[in-house]
């Protein structure tokens, strides 16, 4: 898998395609479409368009096997989730990251194992005295 410096930016529909590929390891367009068409209402052409976009973004690689193309992820699900999280946090005031994480935890369905893992991470986390606002003046009330 690639270690990317640039953020991984994919649409909601591209996420759906990638979830199939991450689960299967690799897949052709028909297999992906068969799995998604009933829930998404997509035609094969839609799936192929999404696959083409993901190849162009260098997120998928393709290999021709006979008459069909097989797609394999060039980035992991973990890398993509991390990039999406970093992207979300880059768009909000640094002072609001903690409350945003708390909101996400309160809304998520979690197993006891998940809760234990979060508590372990928090017990090792060193608190800082203050977090500096990273907003441009006028974007939040921190600097007013």
């Amino acid at each position: 898998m690639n270690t990317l410096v640039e953020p991984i930016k994919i649409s909601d529909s591209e996420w759906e395609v990638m979830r199939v590929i991450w689960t299967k390891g690799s897949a052709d367009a028909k297999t992906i479409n068969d799995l998604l068409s009933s829930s998404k209402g997509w035609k094969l052409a839609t799936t192929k368009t999404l696959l083409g976009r993901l190849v162009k973004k260098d997120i998928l690689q393709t290999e021709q096997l006979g008459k069909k193309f097989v797609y394999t992820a060039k980035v992991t699900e973990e890398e993509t989730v991390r990039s999406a999280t970093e992207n979300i946090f880059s768009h909000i005031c640094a002072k609001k990251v903690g409350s945003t994480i708390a909101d996400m935890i309160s809304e998520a369905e979690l197993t006891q194992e998940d809760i234990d893992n979060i508590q372990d991470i928090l017990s090792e986390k060193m608190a800082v005295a203050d977090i500096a606002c990273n907003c441009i003046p006028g974007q939040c009330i921190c600097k007013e």
Side-chain angles (χ1 to χ4, degrees):
M1 299 290 166
N2 284 349
T3 303
L4 297 178
V5 177
E6 282 192 36
I8 302 165
K9 294 183 179 178
I10 60 176
S11 71
D12 291 346
S13 295
E14 291 167 345
W15 269 101
E16 296 298 328
V17 170
M18 289 305 299
R19 290 183 65 201
V20 172
I21 293 171
W22 286 320
T23 300
K24 297 225 161 268
S26 64
D28 62 50
K30 183 176 180 331
T31 301
I32 295 165
N33 192 70
D34 289 348
L35 290 167
L36 296 175
S37 64
S38 62
S39 63
K40 300 293 173 191
W42 294 347
K43 298 201 178 321
L44 184 57
T46 303
T47 301
K48 287 182 176 182
T49 297
L50 293 167
L51 288 164
R53 288 180 190 163
L54 290 163
V55 169
K56 189 173 183 179
K57 291 179 182 184
D58 203 31
I59 291 169
L60 287 179
Q61 64 186 19
T62 183
E63 179 184 354
Q64 189 166 359
L65 293 177
K67 292 183 178 182
K68 61 182 159 181
F69 290 92
V70 176
Y71 299 88
T72 307
K74 294 179 80 172
V75 296
T76 66
E77 185 173 13
E78 292 78 15
E79 288 171 315
T80 309
V81 169
R82 185 172 292 113
S83 182
T85 304
E86 289 169 2
N87 184 46
I88 289 169
F89 291 155
S90 74
H91 292 295
I92 62 173
C93 177
K95 290 181 170 272
K96 294 181 181 174
V97 169
S99 62
T100 301
I101 292 169
D103 288 344
M104 292 168 70
I105 290 170
S106 71
E107 294 295 321
E109 285 190 31
L110 302 170
T111 65
Q112 187 60 51
E113 184 179 345
D114 294 329
I115 293 169
D116 292 345
N117 185 35
I118 292 166
Q119 288 174 332
D120 288 346
I121 291 167
L122 286 174
S123 71
E124 295 175 14
K125 186 80 175 163
M126 297 297 293
V128 296
D130 190 39
I131 296 173
C133 172
N134 60 341
C135 297
I136 296 168
Q139 287 185 325
C140 71
I141 59 170
C142 296
K143 295 180 182 175
E144 291 181 2

